[in-house]
Amino acid sequence: MGKRETDVAPSGDLIQGTLDMLILKALAAGPLHGYGVAEWIHARSHDVLKVDEGALYPALHRLDLRGLLQAEWGASENNRRAKFYKLTTAGRKHLETERDRWSRLASAVGFVMASA
Amino acid sequence: MTWEDLRERFLRAAGLFTRDRRERELDEELAFHLAMKERSYVDGDGLTQKEAAMQAKRDFGNVSRWKELCRDVARWRLIEEFGRDLSLAARTLRKSPAFTLVALATLTLAIGANTAIFSLMNAIVLRPVPLPAANRLGMLRIQPDRFGYAFMYPLYKELEKQSSRIMEVFAFTGRDLQVRVPDGVERVSGQLVSGHYFSALGVQPTLGRWIGPNDDRRGAPDGAVVVVSDRFWRTRLGGDPHAVGRRLTINQISFTVAGVMPEGFRGMNRDQQPDVFVPFELEPLMDAPYDNISVGWHAWWFQVGMRLNGGVTLQQANAFLRAASSRIFDASLPPADFQFDGHKKKDLYLAAEPGAAGYSYLRLQFKKPLTVLMALVVLVLLIACLNLATLLMARAASRTREITTRFALGASRARLIRQLLTESLLLAACGTALGLLAAPALARLMVAAFTPRHDPLSPILDVSPDWTVFAFTAGVAILATALTGIAPALRSTGDGLRGSLQEGSATLRGAGRRKLWPRILMTAEVGLALVLVTGATLLAYSMVKLRQIPIGFEPQGLVYLPLELEKQSRQGPALTAVHREVVEEVRKLPGVAGVSLSMVVPLSGNWSTSSADTAKTKIDELWQNRVGPDYFQTMRTPFLEGRDVRWTDSTAPDTVAILNQAAAKQLFPGEDAVGQHFSLDGGKSQTEVIGVVGDAKYSNIRDAAPPTMYAPVMWDKEAKASYIVVIRASNPGAAQVSALISAAQAIIRRNVPDIPPPAAVTMEQTLAESLATERMMSALALFFGALALLITAIGLYGTLAYATERRTGEIGIRLALGAQPRNVISLVCGENGAIALAGCVVGIAGSVAASKLVASFLYGVSTRDPAVFGLAALVLLAVAAVASLAPAIRAARIDPLTAIRHE
């Protein structure tokens, strides 16, 4: 143990809206199961962000109920039954607005931190 | 809302009632995740299978918390969906404003009426008195139940002596007291209370102490003490923190203030709000010149309550009372042959009943009328709900396409039922909210009818709503939702996908299973409405009969001003002179058609009787009145023969008297009564009959005019007899009467400044009060009956209009094939005709059963009166006919071509 502990960001530090946005982004390329979503975020953040399972699944279910995702049972890569999540049209739109909002926020924070 | 949204919602909704499946899926998702994690540990980090499994579990942390988080999401969905259902329901209702308006109006009236009557029930029957541990309090009464709650002094003293191991008994009774204030004398509401009253009720005074056993006797160590209310302390004692020890003159006796009770303390009698509490044993001083205590068992004049001693149950107390009763009655009720209303002394026993709701005269009087009214308003509510159910069903029929579409999109039946019920819930909730707003006004209106006299000492009825009322109304709202919503929701979703496929042919087949339910509901509604209308007609007819009773005098323009002279200094002939002076001065006022004196106000419920006999005949109860000269002319009671009383008549008692016809006939059958003699109460002196007058009602308008004797006011045996000034206004208009009252009051104030100003009462008020219950019941019953008719008419019209609209195509074909408009009218009306007739049959059967409930309120009307039943049924059928004709005529005007194209 301890091998993967580099730069762990506990889920509590992730603003909920941000986690939602990351999930939507993960699914933008195609359907994934929950584990896949976590792995994707982990890999794409260069191992910086580790998504806590305790937050991931409630978030997935919530997005599902809000109609931003759609869940379907299918076969996983190792041929097990797994629940796959797919972005809906509404989800795609939501992702767009979140992306804009995020970049505005990130640059704004950047300006503040860069100032003398 | 886009179609995608709709689809999403219904797909998600499909899983609503499949909780087990959701749990299973949650488990499976978790297991999959763990398996994937294990594999990554084995493949990527080279852990053994076992280590990997443990590590994966550890990463995951608390599984049950995780599941709970996921479940929360689902729960939140329920709320969210409910919110969307609500907004959809609101939009749907807004789209049909006529339906919504009718639904809301009927529900508001029905729920408002239910809440109003219930809050009266709550105030009079249910609500506990605000006293600590009120459930340990009890009220005592004598069984068999012929005495109300009245007690006599020796019985109470004996009970107090024998029962102290079981309970703490206390006596109380209300009194109007005259308190001296700087600018004269004022009447306040007082209460005579025994030495254990306060300790049994258990409320501490805010200042000083309460009345204890040591204060409750003549010549008590601290002298005569009183306890006053917070209100009295603030208004009359200026909120003085040193009020204890101050002196008060009450009924001309000097008292010391011993204590002040906290705000809101009203004691055991929930109808009264006493300002002054006086020791019970001082009754002779307060009631002077009367003395109920020394009269002993002859006077039944107060109530007795108790608090159970610790550990004693009400059953044990009753067992004790049952066993001790014969001892107590033997010691306190001397005559061995005592008998009251057919019950001998050995039959009598004491019983305790729960006293948490306190003692209430209003409850004794109005529990039954209120129960009847409650039944009436529940009927109205049922009718309103049935009506909405049928209307919703008819409307749902025209929404078949919408519902089938939703089924096709995958919505489950449960989900659709939930959606439809939300609509009824929204209606019921809005109706309840509006009803709650309307209820207080309605309740206050009824309180005014129950406690009509505008007098500070009249009973107090607090109908402000509390949690019991809110709980009741919430229950009513839920019931209304269920009654209006469930049947239509089940019906309209029952066909599932087949609904729309069958729609076209169903309209052609006309009657069928689809129409059975609405018909049953409409028939029930018509039946219930008829029950209400019959009840209302019975009560109204009885009221008409009561109004028509000849009373023997003319009530319009009669005004009564009672002089309360017991507490001032003059007496005997001097007092007679005061009376005479007042009468003579009033006579000179403009607008006075007659003035005299009387001992009682007829029909006010007060009475006095004596027995009378001659050598041959006897009257056990000869009703008594004392009158001044010109009494019969003032009352406009016919004077048949002989002469009137005169101021110059002898002042010696039992010398001359006037009889009414009933008394003259009974005492002197077949003879001329004038000049004859009789004796009173078995006495020796012979009273001469100087005149005979027409019969007039005495105490109660429902009873026949009793044999009555009128004696001159001059020969009263009481030293300080007080009489009532009777004035007839020549113009009975309200303005003239009230001007006359003020002028007469000024005369009285000038002649007798040392008594409280007399409160005037008109005969029309007295008459209205004596029939207040009947009048209010018949007025409310008529109102509810009319409401039921209106609701039923709307229901019949609405369902028929919907049904006819759905049959437009069929009717068009019929007309095209040569049917005459009148055939169409009879075709359409036939539906409602059958329903109305079936409803009448059901309703008449129901009315026969229900009329027993109102039987005791009827005067001169039989509960089976065929005229009443026929009239009620006719009215209902007429209303049904009018409600059905409009849609029928519209159907007959259908243009066949348009109609067929419409299909």
Side-chain angles (χ1 to χ4, degrees):
Chain A
M1 75 180 269
K3 287 172 198 154
R4 285 173 157 256
E5 277 179 74
T6 46
D7 302 318
V8 169
S11 63
D13 291 352
L14 272 177
I15 306 155
Q16 183 173 7
T18 315
L19 175 61
D20 288 356
M21 181 180 71
L22 292 177
I23 292 173
L24 291 176
K25 175 68 187 165
L27 294 172
L32 285 172
H33 43 65
Y35 182 77
V37 170
E39 285 295 291
W40 191 92
I41 295 173
H42 189 65
R44 289 304 163 96
S45 68
H46 301 288
D47 296 353
V48 173
L49 298 175
K50 179 175 170 285
V51 180
D52 180 22
E53 290 89 343
L56 173 67
Y57 283 95
L60 281 168
H61 291 188
R62 194 165 43 239
L63 290 170
D64 177 17
L65 292 173
R66 282 172 61 191
L68 301 178
L69 304 180
Q70 194 187 339
E72 248 161 44
W73 286 88
S76 76
E77 54 275 28
N78 58 346
N79 249 339
R80 279 190 63 149
R81 217 168 94 85
K83 200 174 180 184
F84 282 89
Y85 295 89
K86 194 173 90 184
L87 214 56
T88 63
T89 322
R92 222 170 274 283
K93 264 187 223 153
H94 192 71
L95 176 60
E96 292 302 315
T97 50
E98 283 300 290
R99 197 208 313 273
D100 293 348
R101 206 175 61 88
W102 175 258
S103 48
R104 270 203 313 279
L105 180 71
S107 52
V109 173
F111 290 140
V112 172
M113 298 313 288
S115 64
Chain B
M1 186 184 286
T2 64
W3 274 108
E4 273 87 352
D5 286 346
L6 253 182
R7 185 163 161 273
E8 289 291 330
R9 260 182 61 204
F10 286 113
L11 284 180
R12 275 178 283 120
L16 178 70
F17 290 117
T18 53
R19 185 158 297 157
D20 285 350
R21 202 182 78 206
R22 226 174 33 234
E23 287 289 311
R24 267 203 316 278
E25 288 190 359
L26 217 53
D27 285 338
E28 204 175 337
E29 201 171 12
L30 167 74
F32 174 77
H33 189 96
L34 286 175
M36 293 298 285
K37 227 166 176 174
E38 268 174 54
R39 211 183 62 179
S40 95
Y41 282 130
V42 173
D43 293 354
D45 303 295
L47 300 187
T48 64
Q49 192 73 36
K50 212 173 153 192
E51 284 170 333
M54 277 176 57
Q55 182 61 33
K57 277 224 173 92
R58 215 174 290 139
D59 282 354
F60 214 96
N62 189 339
V63 172
S64 56
R65 184 173 144 61
W66 174 83
K67 278 191 181 172
E68 194 49 44
L69 278 171
C70 290
R71 282 190 213 112
D72 275 350
V73 173
R75 265 184 223 124
W76 177 240
R77 176 180 67 178
L78 264 177
I79 297 168
E80 217 180 7
E81 277 181 356
F82 179 65
R84 286 190 218 172
D85 280 354
L86 267 185
S87 75
L88 179 65
R91 260 177 290 144
T92 318
L93 289 176
R94 216 179 306 145
K95 265 189 242 158
S96 36
F99 167 81
T100 310
L101 204 71
V102 166
L104 277 184
T106 49
L107 275 178
T108 301
L109 281 170
I111 293 176
N114 269 277
T115 306
I117 305 264
F118 183 81
S119 49
L120 258 105
M121 276 289 241
N122 183 48
I124 289 185
V125 184
L126 302 173
R127 191 187 287 168
V129 282
L131 294 171
N135 59 342
R136 301 287 296 162
L137 291 169
M139 279 301 296
L140 295 179
R141 67 194 297 178
I142 297 167
Q143 298 286 356
D145 178 19
R146 288 291 182 281
F147 296 80
Y149 286 85
F151 269 72
M152 46 103 169
Y153 186 76
L155 179 66
Y156 167 68
K157 287 316 261 187
E158 198 57 36
L159 173 70
E160 190 179 35
K161 210 190 302 169
Q162 298 206 18
S163 64
S164 60
R165 275 185 312 111
I166 306 290
M167 57 185 121
E168 184 173 17
V169 293
F170 54 90
F172 60 98
T173 185
R175 279 290 180 277
D176 296 357
L177 300 176
Q178 300 180 6
V179 177
R180 178 156 304 156
V181 289
D183 49 348
V185 177
E186 193 171 281
R187 297 166 71 207
V188 303
S189 172
Q191 194 92 180
L192 296 175
V193 299
S194 69
H196 288 280
Y197 181 83
F198 285 106
S199 69
L201 295 189
V203 177
Q204 295 292 335
T206 46
L207 275 183
R209 58 181 184 83
W210 58 35
I211 293 169
N214 272 337
D215 303 305
D216 188 21
R217 54 182 143 114
R218 306 285 284 268
D222 293 348
V225 298
V226 286
V227 165
V228 299
S229 73
D230 182 77
R231 184 174 64 173
F232 186 91
W233 175 65
R234 283 176 198 286
T235 56
R236 294 273 156 252
L237 302 178
D240 178 6
H242 306 291
V244 171
R246 272 174 66 166
R247 315 287 294 174
L248 280 178
T249 304
I250 304 171
N251 288 12
Q252 298 188 307
I253 307 291
S254 177
F255 283 90
T256 310
V257 176
V260 179
M261 291 310 285
E263 194 185 341
F265 177 82
R266 288 165 62 169
M268 193 65 175
N269 186 335
R270 71 175 319 147
D271 302 338
Q272 292 172 347
Q273 190 162 359
D275 276 326
V276 175
F277 297 86
V278 178
F280 194 74
E281 297 283 337
L282 304 187
E283 185 270 338
L285 297 177
M286 294 295 96
D287 285 351
Y290 307 99
D291 179 348
N292 282 314
I293 287 181
S294 62
V295 172
W297 68 270
H298 292 282
W300 300 72
W301 56 285
F302 60 95
Q303 284 78 46
V304 176
M306 60 94 171
R307 182 180 284 278
L308 292 165
N309 287 352
V312 179
T313 66
L314 193 67
Q315 285 77 9
Q316 287 166 338
N318 268 315
F320 159 79
L321 287 170
R322 194 75 204 242
S325 281
S326 68
R327 251 183 303 144
I328 294 174
F329 277 105
D330 279 338
S332 61
L333 191 55
D337 59 349
F338 176 84
Q339 203 170 333
F340 185 78
D341 217 11
H343 297 285
K344 296 193 177 73
K345 185 158 80 171
K346 65 172 171 53
D347 302 334
L348 303 179
Y349 64 93
L350 291 161
E353 53 187 53
Y359 166 76
S360 167
Y361 173 70
L362 290 176
R363 179 166 57 225
L364 276 174
Q365 218 181 351
F366 293 121
K367 196 174 168 181
K368 261 184 81 178
L370 271 180
T371 315
V372 171
L373 286 177
M374 195 74 226
L376 290 183
V377 290
V378 167
L379 267 186
V380 171
L381 181 69
L382 273 180
I383 291 172
C385 289
L386 282 179
N387 186 54
L388 273 189
T390 26
L391 284 179
L392 278 170
M393 241 184 235
R395 216 162 67 103
S398 61
R399 277 167 73 179
T400 319
R401 203 156 283 161
E402 175 197 343
I403 287 165
T404 321
T405 311
R406 289 192 187 169
F407 267 123
L409 288 173
S412 72
R413 189 175 177 202
R415 185 72 193 80
L416 279 180
I417 289 178
R418 219 148 54 89
Q419 159 68 50
L420 291 171
L421 273 181
T422 309
E423 220 171 281
S424 337
L425 179 70
L426 186 66
L427 279 175
C430 291
T432 307
L434 292 173
L436 268 178
L437 286 180
L442 198 54
R444 271 199 297 275
L445 216 72
M446 281 184 277
V447 170
F450 276 148
T451 56
R453 197 162 284 182
H454 298 287
D455 183 329
L457 305 178
S458 67
I460 293 159
L461 190 50
D462 174 18
V463 289
S464 56
D466 57 13
W467 287 111
T468 324
V469 173
F470 288 132
F472 169 84
T473 310
V476 166
I478 291 167
L479 183 81
T481 310
L483 278 176
T484 58
I486 286 179
L490 288 179
R491 271 300 295 125
S492 55
T493 58
D495 284 342
L497 272 172
R498 285 172 294 122
S500 99
L501 298 176
Q502 287 181 344
E503 191 187 18
S505 53
T507 53
L508 278 178
R509 275 193 281 116
R513 198 175 62 84
R514 169 171 286 282
K515 287 196 167 171
L516 186 62
W517 265 106
R519 283 181 170 172
I520 291 177
L521 292 186
M522 263 331 285
T523 307
E525 188 184 331
V526 171
L528 288 177
L530 183 60
V531 172
L532 250 177
V533 172
T534 313
T537 315
L538 280 172
L539 287 168
Y541 192 31
S542 151
M543 189 66 205
V544 169
K545 290 246 170 164
L546 280 169
R547 281 276 183 194
Q548 287 170 347
I549 298 173
I551 53 177
F553 55 86
E554 212 182 290
Q556 290 81 21
L558 275 182
V559 180
Y560 290 80
L561 285 155
L563 304 174
E564 293 173 47
L565 300 167
E566 293 91 348
K567 312 275 185 292
Q568 51 81 54
S569 51
R570 276 165 289 188
Q571 56 179 3
L575 206 54
T576 310
V578 169
H579 281 112
R580 187 171 176 180
E581 185 56 35
V582 168
V583 167
E584 296 305 336
E585 282 191 41
V586 170
R587 193 188 309 282
K588 289 183 198 122
L589 286 174
V592 171
V595 55
S596 183
L597 296 167
S598 169
M599 183 176 70
V600 295
V601 178
L603 306 180
S604 65
N606 294 327
W607 51 273
S608 159
T609 65
S610 303
S611 69
D613 39 342
T614 66
K616 284 171 279 180
T617 56
K618 182 173 166 62
I619 298 180
D620 286 330
E621 283 188 331
L622 180 63
W623 297 60
Q624 302 282 311
N625 197 359
R626 304 258 189 284
V627 298
D630 299 330
Y631 177 77
F632 302 100
Q633 178 247 320
T634 306
M635 296 292 285
R636 301 205 174 135
T637 298
F639 210 102
L640 300 176
E641 50 179 326
R643 67 163 179 90
D644 199 357
V645 298
R646 302 183 188 122
W647 289 115
T648 51
D649 276 331
S650 160
T651 54
D654 302 349
T655 44
V656 293
I658 294 169
L659 295 180
N660 72 354
Q661 253 181 319
K665 267 189 200 141
Q666 279 189 48
L667 279 178
F668 310 104
E671 297 171 61
D672 189 359
V674 175
Q676 306 255 28
H677 290 81
F678 63 94
S679 64
L680 279 169
D681 288 327
K684 284 198 192 83
S685 59
Q686 290 289 304
T687 306
E688 185 195 341
V689 181
I690 56 168
V692 176
V693 295
D695 289 345
K697 297 275 178 180
Y698 189 109
S699 131
N700 187 335
I701 198 166
R702 287 161 174 262
D703 299 335
T708 313
M709 176 191 115
Y710 301 90
V713 288
M714 284 77 72
W715 55 258
D716 203 293
K717 293 161 216 170
E718 310 285 354
K720 290 190 181 181
S722 302
Y723 289 98
I724 301 160
V725 182
V726 198
I727 308 168
R728 175 170 297 280
S730 44
N731 185 339
Q736 285 83 349
V737 168
S738 83
L740 195 55
I741 288 172
S742 323
Q745 278 170 331
I747 290 172
I748 291 165
R749 208 169 306 130
R750 193 148 20 83
N751 279 283
V752 248
D754 46 356
I755 63 165
V761 56
T762 68
M763 178 43 76
E764 286 185 277
Q765 280 167 359
T766 310
L767 202 57
E769 265 172 47
S770 74
L771 294 175
T773 315
E774 288 87 349
R775 203 182 32 166
M776 188 195 60
M777 279 189 68
S778 61
L780 284 176
L782 278 179
F783 173 68
F784 294 141
L787 194 59
L789 277 178
L790 182 70
I791 295 173
T792 310
I794 290 169
L796 286 168
Y797 170 82
T799 44
L800 198 62
Y802 276 119
T804 315
E805 201 184 299
R806 274 164 54 80
R807 289 172 75 178
T808 307
E810 176 205 340
I811 291 166
I813 291 170
R814 280 176 195 268
L815 285 169
L817 292 177
Q820 294 299 309
R822 68 187 146 79
N823 299 84
V824 173
I825 290 178
S826 68
L827 175 79
V828 172
C829 275
E831 298 238 341
N832 270 359
I835 288 173
L837 283 175
C840 277
V841 172
V842 173
I844 286 174
S847 305
V848 169
S851 60
K852 287 190 193 87
L853 194 64
V854 294
S856 63
F857 299 99
L858 299 181
Y859 177 88
V861 187
S862 152
T863 54
R864 300 277 165 88
D865 194 328
V868 168
F869 278 65
L871 180 68
L874 261 180
V875 167
L876 194 68
L877 286 174
V879 166
V882 169
S884 314
L885 224 52
I889 289 173
R890 201 184 309 142
R893 289 208 186 123
I894 289 174
D895 172 26
L897 269 179
T898 331
I900 294 166
R901 252 187 240 126
H902 163 91
E903 188 75 352

